[in-house]
Amino acid sequence: MNTTRHINLTLNSHQVEADVDSSETLEGVLRRCFDLYGARESCGQGLCGCCTVLVNGAAVPGCLHLAALADGAEITTIEGLSDGEKLDPVQEAFVENAAFQCGFCTSGFVLMTKQLLADNPRPTDDEIKHYLSGNLCRCAAYPEILNAVRRLTRDA
Amino acid sequence: MTSVEEQLQGVVEGLRTGQIGRSINRLESKAKVTGTAEYIHNLKIPGMLHGKIFRSPVPHGYLRSVDTSAAEAMPGVYAVITGKDILGVMPDPYYGPAFHDQPVLAIDKVRFVGDPIAVVLAEDPRIAEEAVPLIVAEIEELEAVFDELEAAKPGAPVVHDEIRPAGTFVDLKHLAGRSGTNLAMDYRLRRGDVDQGFEEADRVFEHTFRTQQGMHTPMEPVVSAAELTGTGRLVIHSSTQSPSFVRMEIARLLGWSENQVRVRTALLGGGFGAKLYIKLEALVAACTLLVRRPVKIALSMAEQFYLITKHATTTHMKTGVKEDGTIVARRVETWWNGGAYADIGPRVTQKSGFTAAGPYDIENVSLDSYAVYTNRPTSGALRGFGIPQLVWPYECQADIIARELGMDPFAFRRKNLLRNGRPHATGTVIQDTAFPEVLDELEKQMEWSKTFERDEGTIRRGRGIGIGVKAAITPTTSVAIVNLYGDGSCGVYTSTTDMGQGSDTVTAQIAGEVLGLETEDVLVIHPDTDVTPYDMATLGSRSTYHMGNAVKLAAENARDQLFEMAKDLLDEPKEELELRGGFIVSQDGESIAVRDVFQAVYGQQAGNIVGVGSFRGKYQPPDHDTGQSEQITPFWMVGATGAEVEVDTETGRVSVTNLVNVADVGTALNPSVVARQLSGAAIMQLGFTMSEEMFYIDGQVINASLADYKIPGFFDVPPDISNHVIEMPHREGPFGAKGVGESGTFAVSPAIANAIEDAVGVRVYDSPLTPEKVFSALRAAGHRRSDPEGSGGKER
């Protein structure tokens, strides 16, 4: 059977702790223990990007990343990008360019874009597509997402 | 009273004169980019159990027994529910919008691999999941049938012993009591004399086209939860596109009145038809009644492949033409692979079936459309309600005919296109529909008359087009409530679900326009059957037209009541008043704030004005034998697509380099949202055109995963994609609007297949257009560009 682990982590700049099952995913613990729903399980296989969270600055699929491995880590979720009033520039660009429809995949796209721009502030179109090609959007807002990211790079 | 200029100055600085035609961003944008948007996916209820489903491992068989003891013995498992248990709370637990044929859990028979047999309930969903494989079902296997043509033959294994129409739809009642057949619906249309037409034709073309089974894959997998209130009412929280129908169906299954069931939803993480009618709701309702605790069942992406799919089809299409290109006769027979349960398949079969002759003016038409049960996962409605499966054959064949006659593809279509004032094959006279205008716009946007560069070498370029038509699903009703609050702000109550299409925003625009308010200031209340009134469903591009009209009527009703209250205060007749920026303004410039009207009437900030609007689309049922009707639909949707492709003759790989979509949308209430709908629909259909297909071994889906079932990603979007609208106002649409959610899907597949033939001279008759198929066709054609002979057709 599974065993419980106690973990300490920095979650959206706050020190928190939780008792997690060794088989529990980070996405599951964000929901169960912290009521954070922005990272969402969709494909459950790390293929769609809906569950993306940043672990020590690196985007990972929260549906595959074991919560126990987050012990001591710094986690940023979509909820940590803004204070709820003032949006992050990436969020702003997504709104202005209508870069989503149903919004279920949007957290993942925003966080991946965040990481893309941290790695490469002036990506080409091809680099943008490559970087975001692990995220899926069934509403197919891809042209608008590309526009949103282009706008951010132009302003950079 | 002061003059309106004084009152308005500063208060409503920057007020737009109109809300219609504003490209306003979705009202819930901020919630969606901050991760705080509400989905039922997020829902936690205190004391809630999670359910995980045990499914049939065989495609067809008698269920002899289910042994749940090992699962029940697992620590942490609260209960295991089987079909027998369900009978304790639902005496006749068969549901469905068209037929009552789907048991909440299997009782005596299983009909596809994945048919739900039992549910494990546990507080921890991972424990429930671990316990599922411990269940053992004893099943006496029966011969199964998977192909729609095989299943339609006499002597095929019979999936359902008896056909059970629901009674919801008048046009399905004739099917009651049929047995020994898999035919769940046989729709027919007869116009003119089709045999005579073929006699008079100079050329007759006959082909068979097929489409494959696909799946919606909404990113938010289907999820439902149920709980009991202290008074014993049931509350169902569901990612549903049709809360009103769910309430009716749950009440019927339980023998309760509708007011004992409450169904609510939130934003949907995509729908596309996957969340229509009733899906998991009866199961969570029954489980909750059995264990007296809240129960939530959230499907995995893989399980969605067992829930609902897009029909595979086979279509025989025979068309007679004159040498000048006039189509004189068309016979179409379509078999729809409905899978194990009817869901809405029989309605798809009919409601799309009657458009199978295409957007063409043809004197002699014969259409037959058959819904067929098979032992596959159930098929229902998927963005287009069957239309893309029909545009595929008629627009592929249009190109074949034009090529054979040596006619330009635009010219051939233009010669035959329906026009306003002309009768459709159903006999309904077309009005307010821009068939020729859409085609002309496509020709212009594709710059068709310019020289098209065709590369030499192994990569060949080609271009193709297609145009399709859909009739709005009818007869359907929408009801809306507009509530003016004491401070002059307002809320709109509808049961239209926003699943990303932007209905909240467009609803607010319509109410705002009538009430003189900014769209951003209108509150749209999400569906909750305790609060929001009846709506048939959010489907088939019907909401803007039907609910839009209901909202407009409700807002006008509220406005009229307000004017009645204000007329004495302003000393003006109602007809002389208008609403602007929270003020009632008279023609001579006097004004009063709406809040001051409430103040004057109630003596304080109090009271409500409740406006109600109800709208039902016009409809006359078709004659059963001929399919003829004076009003088969309230409005038509026209969508056309042009594609430019590059075909790699060495691998068969096709790259779509340019995709141009044009649709008649009526008045574009929100041009930005309209363009996004066209774009999203076209890219979704691009998936069904190029890659998406469910594969089976012995009835078992073998690619129920986004790893193996390929939906479009960033690199599948054509480098050039553009969307264009023709705004031909509909006389009964709200501000002239029509529906737009599906029009982008209609013609994508044939446009690309036609472009492939243009590029390399081979015809693929079965979608999707995979490299393997294109490569095989190239090999069969001797890999020569100038060889137009395909392999699937014959000509007299």
Side-chain angles (χ1 to χ4, degrees), chain B residues 701-720:
Chain B
V701 187
I702 57 166
N703 60 336
S705 151
L706 292 188
D708 302 311
Y709 180 89
K710 177 73 179 75
I711 68 171
F714 244 114
F715 282 106
D716 301 298
V717 178
D720 285 313

Side-chain angles (χ1 to χ4, degrees), chain A residues 13-15 18 20 28 62 102 131:
Chain A
S13 309
H14 295 284
Q15 295 297 317
V20 304
C102 81
Y131 215 94

